[in-house]
Amino acid sequence: MSHILSAVAWPYANGPRHIGHVAGFGVPSDVFSRYMRMAGHDVLMVSGTDEHGTPILVAADAEGVSARELADRNNRLIVEDLVALGLSYDLFTRTTASNHYAVVQDMFRTVRDNGYMVEQVTRSAISPSTGRTLPDRYIEGTCPICSAPGARGDQCDTCGNQLDPTDLIDPRSRINGETPEFVESNHWFLDLPALAEALGTWLDEREASGTWRPNVIRFSKNILEEIRPRAMTRDIDWGIPVPGWEDQPSKRLYVWFDAVIGYLSASIEWARRTGDPEAWRQWWNNPEALSYYFMGKDNIVFHSQIWPAELLGYNGQGQRGGSAGDLGVLNLPTEVVSSEFLTMEGRKFSSSHGIVIYVRDFLARYQADALRYFISAAGPETADADFTWAEFVRRTNGELVAGWGNLVNRTASMIHKRFGEVPAPAQLEEIDRALLDSVEAGFATVGDLIRHHRQKAALTEAMRLVGEANKYVADTEPFKLKAPEQLPRLATILHTLAQVVTDLNLMLSPFLPHAANDVNRVLGGAGEIAPMPRIEEVDELDPEVLPEDFAGRTGYPVITGDYTQAPTWGRHEVVVGTPVGKPSPVFVKLDEAIVEEELARYSQSRPDDVTGA
């Protein structure tokens, strides 16, 4: 058994999240985590809402509420949506939690004291109309390197180079189109050049492992070539106060400095809430532990450069040496599992342009597992993928309903009608053994593919086995075995099908947890083979750490759950005599008319401001 950290990207709380977001971080991480638990590993799956930075302030101003009020509301919305999707977090918390503030400030102090924070005067981009600092990503212009339009103030997506807002040609604010003013300001910079050699060694080791997706390791090594110090503080009054600069309340830690520390702080918060405050160390100080970070490709730089650099600086493992802080020597990521982008009907998801399908709206009309299936089967695993309503309907009806749902329904219907319970088999024939052996072998194949983040291939193999089982029904024709002397053969076929459906249900459960419980109930089980997350209201752990903005807030909702009762990965023999009632369909067949209905619905979306992007 290994300790596995499943570190899931933190959704930004400036608005509800859309299906493109959960295609990148949500479903892939949950499929992996559910499988790894069933395979016997000790998994800790953590994340939370990312709630600092200028975009929160801009969105709050637009609504006439405080940044905290906006963050509180969106945190709860996101929590509810992710629970409805069935994402099995051990802890999903938030960056405005007092525990997070304490861990971030400790990390900053240690990295600074080890010599990897340097104080420099820089030119900050300021909005002329509001006087606020503009985030790098909210400034666009022409790339000075490749001349591509639409380059951001932190990176050009065309050539992949890191940028500063001052590098851009003809910079402008994405919020209102105004030209930013650049003013001199004192800030702390993470001294990436002093950590470059250690980062390079780590990336070389990761490349040699052969486990990283080629696009991720290639991009990560490319950005190392132009490494330079990055500002880790901002002129803003919403964020984590800077240790040592308590007399400068208008300066806070950069949202991306604190957000990536959330993986660590959430692990510590989880341990504290379980009553064993040191339990997190098994995932962070144990050199044998493995950690997998799930996100979209636009966040690779923060997870293959900024976060590892922070960890190396904390550990004292850069050119300047140093000593690890009280948290001990912390593990660097084992693998950065980055997905590409999901588009919608050929266009990039964007709340600001009304091109969006929010998770909440989707789940109000369709089954959560229908969305999970689409993402797993056709999502942006290694290349950009397009969500279309026509393809969603086709896959739901043609694969979930007609393939897997039909196999479950007719197996249960025949057992219920002819026996009322799982029958005992008579003599197995070669065709029975062949199917049973093929499906049992699928556990090793499908599990290995999930373990190596090839979820599309894993689901394809599981559904191929569903096809084999449906062919078995067509070949054996149990519905024709009606004579008394044919009863033993009928019992054998239906027992075989009960076993195969049970196996396939377990194999598909990481992808389709809600359906897995429904199928288990159909075959007489308790419907608890895929443990589900729940929302808990918790108290602040360190309220004294929080600034005045949080006066009166005593707690917040988190996602957690007990996933220890999930069955082990592999065949579990069906129990002869288990009652099987008349089944109800597990999946809802969709009317093809919804394609035009949905296209019409989203063509009428009213564009928002840029903060919802």
Side-chain angles (χ1 to χ4, degrees), residues 410-427:
R410 58 180 173 170
T411 296
S413 294
M414 287 188 288
I415 293 174
H416 169 70
K417 184 176 180 180
R418 300 302 300 276
F419 296 96
E421 60 184 32
V422 175
Q427 186 67 34

Side-chain angles (χ1 to χ4, degrees), residues 332-343:
L332 271 66
T334 301
E335 186 169 350
V336 173
V337 187
S338 169
S339 299
E340 301 294 297
F341 288 141
L342 184 71
T343 55

Side-chain angles (χ1 to χ4, degrees), residues 6-316:
S6 187
V8 190
W10 290 56
Y12 198 56
N14 61 334
R17 299 297 84 186
H18 58 63
I19 66 170
H21 292 128
V22 296
F25 73 81
V27 174
S29 62
D30 189 57
V31 171
F32 176 79
S33 299
R34 286 181 178 276
Y35 162 72
M36 294 299 276
R37 292 186 186 111
M38 296 169 76
H41 300 286
D42 201 344
V43 175
L44 180 61
M45 179 176 170
V46 294
S47 186
T49 45
D50 178 7
E51 300 178 13
H52 295 127
T54 302
I56 294 285
L57 288 172
V58 174
D61 284 350
E63 295 193 26
V65 298
S66 70
R68 179 188 137 190
E69 287 172 324
L70 183 87
D72 284 347
R73 186 189 70 207
N74 288 331
N75 163 261
R76 190 171 293 275
L77 287 174
I78 292 169
V79 161
E80 291 171 355
D81 289 350
L82 300 186
V83 166
L85 199 53
L87 304 187
S88 57
Y89 292 101
D90 291 282
L91 184 71
F92 183 93
T93 179
R94 60 195 307 186
T95 59
T96 59
S98 55
N99 169 82
H100 179 71
Y101 273 54
V103 174
V104 168
Q105 290 179 327
D106 173 69
M107 191 144 198
F108 175 86
R109 279 189 290 263
T110 302
V111 174
R112 180 196 61 197
D113 294 347
N114 277 340
Y116 299 103
M117 285 287 179
V118 292
E119 200 171 347
Q120 293 182 4
V121 175
T122 185
R123 295 177 70 206
S124 299
I126 303 295
S127 165
S129 60
T130 67
R132 282 193 180 135
T133 301
L134 288 168
D136 296 348
R137 288 194 168 196
Y138 274 38
I139 305 171
E140 286 184 345
T142 300
C143 177
I145 299 171
C146 71
S147 300
R152 299 192 309 267
D154 61 346
Q155 179 180 306
C156 174
D157 287 337
T158 302
C159 65
N161 283 289
Q162 292 183 70
L163 302 171
D164 284 329
T166 53
D167 297 331
L168 295 173
I169 300 169
D170 297 325
R172 62 190 179 280
S173 167
R174 288 181 60 213
I175 298 172
N176 55 20
E178 64 187 6
T179 300
E181 295 177 357
F182 291 96
V183 299
E184 288 192 346
S185 184
N186 218 39
H187 287 286
W188 285 107
F189 281 67
L190 181 61
D191 193 358
L192 291 169
L195 297 158
E197 184 178 349
L199 278 170
T201 299
W202 169 68
L203 283 171
D204 287 344
E205 292 171 352
R206 295 297 86 220
E207 184 175 31
S209 73
T211 59
W212 283 37
R213 290 173 178 169
N215 65 310
V216 180
I217 193 69
R218 187 166 54 248
F219 178 84
S220 301
K221 298 198 79 170
N222 285 343
I223 60 176
L224 193 61
E225 296 176 4
E226 299 294 331
I227 201 164
R228 56 186 175 182
R230 293 286 296 266
M232 291 294 121
T233 55
R234 288 290 188 269
D235 292 297
I236 187 175
D237 56 5
W238 173 248
I240 299 179
V242 183
W245 282 0
E246 286 82 6
D247 60 338
Q248 300 183 61
S250 63
K251 291 187 184 292
R252 302 291 171 101
L253 290 170
Y254 177 37
V255 62
W256 266 110
F257 176 82
D258 91 77
V260 290
I261 298 173
Y263 303 115
L264 174 61
S265 70
S267 302
I268 293 172
E269 181 180 347
W270 166 82
R272 294 176 70 184
R273 294 195 184 283
T274 63
D276 183 1
E278 301 300 307
W280 64 272
R281 295 185 182 276
Q282 289 297 320
W283 287 268
W284 286 93
N285 296 149
N286 174 8
E288 300 301 316
L290 303 174
S291 55
Y292 299 87
Y293 288 72
F294 295 85
M295 75 214 62
K297 66 180 178 181
D298 54 335
N299 289 335
I300 293 175
V301 64
F302 297 102
H303 295 83
S304 67
Q305 185 180 98
I306 303 300
W307 178 226
E310 290 179 29
L311 291 166
L312 289 166
Y314 187 89
N315 294 342

Side-chain angles (χ1 to χ4, degrees), residues 566-601:
T568 54
W569 186 258
R571 171 162 288 167
H572 294 253
E573 299 291 337
V574 294
V575 178
V576 172
T578 301
V580 176
K582 184 178 180 179
S584 299
V586 173
F587 299 106
V588 176
K589 185 175 182 180
L590 302 177
D591 190 324
E592 292 189 3
I594 73 160
V595 174
E596 293 304 320
E597 292 172 4
E598 293 291 356
L599 288 173
R601 184 194 309 274

